[in-house]
Amino acid sequence: VKKKWGREARLPKALAEASPDDGGKIIRVVAIHVRGVELLPRYGERRLSLDVKYGACGASVRCDAASFCPALPVARCVVHQKPDWVARSELGSTCLFLHSESLVPVIRFAVREAGPRFRRRTVARAGASLLQFKQRCAVKLTLRDEQARACGHVSIACEMLEVRQRNLIDILELAHARRQRDAFLISGAAPMVPGELIDGNGAGGETCEFPMDFPVGSPCSMPATPNVARLER
C-alpha cells in the first residue's frame, strides 16, 4: 500500500510518465517556500540541513530543502548579549510537491546535523496543518528540540497551485529546479534566466499560470502580486 501511494504522490514521476497529449492538463501542486531559519546561538556555525515533508509520519513525501550554516551576530563575543540574538540563515528555497488526496494535509520540518558514520541527527522539528494557512500567507513556525523546548523558528509560506502541465515543465527547466525522488527544489541560488515578462492582458506569448513570488531565478520572479504573467520566449 505504501509503495502505491508513494508512486502516485511523486511529482517528478508524474511529469516523467505524462504523455504529450497531457500538456494542457491542469495539475495541483503544493508549494512550500522556505524563507529562512532562526536558531538559538548554540546552533551557530554548525553544518545543518533542512528536510520538508508533506504528509503524516510514515506516509509522506520528502524534499531536501537546504544545507546551511547559521551565522552568529558579529558582536557575539560581547559579554552583555541581547537575549533575542539568534543564529540566522536566509534560504529562499521552494519545494514543489504533487497534491495528493491520499496524503494527510500536513507539512513537517526537520533540522538535522551530520553525525558519526554519515548518520544525520535531528536537532529540531516543526509542523503544521496546511488547512490553517491562508493563500500566500507567510508565517513563522516554532522549532523545538528533542526535549520539546523552543529553539528557533522557520519562516515559510505555503500555496496550493493549479498549473498546466506543460507550463510547469517549462518553468522547472528554466528555473534550474533540482529533481529529487519525491519533489522538485527551486533554490534561491538559481541563476537568473534572461527573458521578458509583459502584462497579463497583453498580446502574444504563452500564459504562465504561476504565482510570482518564486525565488530569484524563476521565470516568474516578480513582487508578490496575485497575477498571471505571459512569458515571452
Side-chain angles (χ1 to χ4, degrees):
V1 176
K2 280 188 177 182
K3 290 184 178 180
K4 184 176 181 180
W5 69 254
R7 289 195 299 268
E8 292 176 349
R10 293 174 181 169
L11 181 58
K13 187 173 181 63
L15 294 181
E17 294 181 348
S19 67
D21 296 334
D22 293 335
K25 178 182 177 181
I26 300 295
I27 60 175
R28 301 184 74 188
V29 177
V30 178
I32 311 296
H33 310 287
V34 184
R35 299 182 174 180
V37 174
E38 297 179 350
L39 292 164
L40 292 178
R42 68 172 181 266
Y43 296 99
E45 312 297 344
R46 291 161 65 174
R47 295 187 178 277
L48 305 173
S49 62
L50 180 69
D51 296 343
V52 181
K53 292 185 178 181
Y54 164 42
C57 184
S60 62
V61 285
R62 168 182 163 181
C63 178
D64 296 325
S67 296
F68 60 100
C69 186
L72 287 168
V74 175
R76 62 183 181 274
C77 296
V78 177
V79 175
H80 300 290
Q81 294 184 353
K82 295 181 179 180
D84 58 346
W85 275 13
V86 293
R88 290 186 175 89
S89 280
E90 299 296 327
L91 303 181
S93 299
T94 297
C95 296
L96 298 178
F97 298 101
L98 179 66
H99 175 264
S100 175
E101 297 292 345
S102 65
L103 297 179
V104 178
V106 297
I107 51 173
R108 297 178 291 125
F109 302 85
V111 178
R112 305 182 190 276
E113 183 177 26
R117 297 183 180 179
F118 302 101
R119 294 182 180 179
R120 294 193 300 170
R121 179 175 66 93
T122 300
V123 297
R125 297 179 186 272
S129 170
L130 284 172
L131 303 179
Q132 76 183 57
F133 293 98
K134 295 180 180 179
Q135 189 75 345
R136 307 175 67 85
C137 179
V139 299
K140 281 188 175 182
L141 299 181
T142 300
L143 288 165
R144 298 187 179 276
D145 61 17
E146 296 176 343
Q147 286 74 43
R149 297 172 300 192
C151 61
H153 297 88
V154 55
S155 300
I156 67 165
C158 302
E159 295 183 276
M160 182 72 70
L161 312 172
E162 292 186 348
V163 59
R164 285 191 178 89
Q165 187 167 281
R166 63 171 174 267
N167 288 339
L168 177 58
I169 293 174
D170 290 343
I171 288 172
L172 293 173
E173 181 179 355
L174 291 173
H176 296 269
R178 193 177 79 188
R179 173 175 176 161
Q180 300 183 6
R181 189 189 67 168
D182 299 334
F184 282 96
L185 173 67
I186 298 179
S187 171
M192 181 63 71
V193 177
E196 179 183 359
L197 282 171
I198 65 175
D199 189 280
N201 297 320
E206 181 179 347
T207 301
C208 172
E209 298 179 355
F210 229 69
M212 294 190 281
D213 60 352
F214 267 46
V216 173
S218 165
C220 289
S221 291
M222 293 282 285
T225 303
N227 193 6
V228 175
R230 292 180 183 273
L231 180 61
E232 285 293 310
R233 301 188 184 283

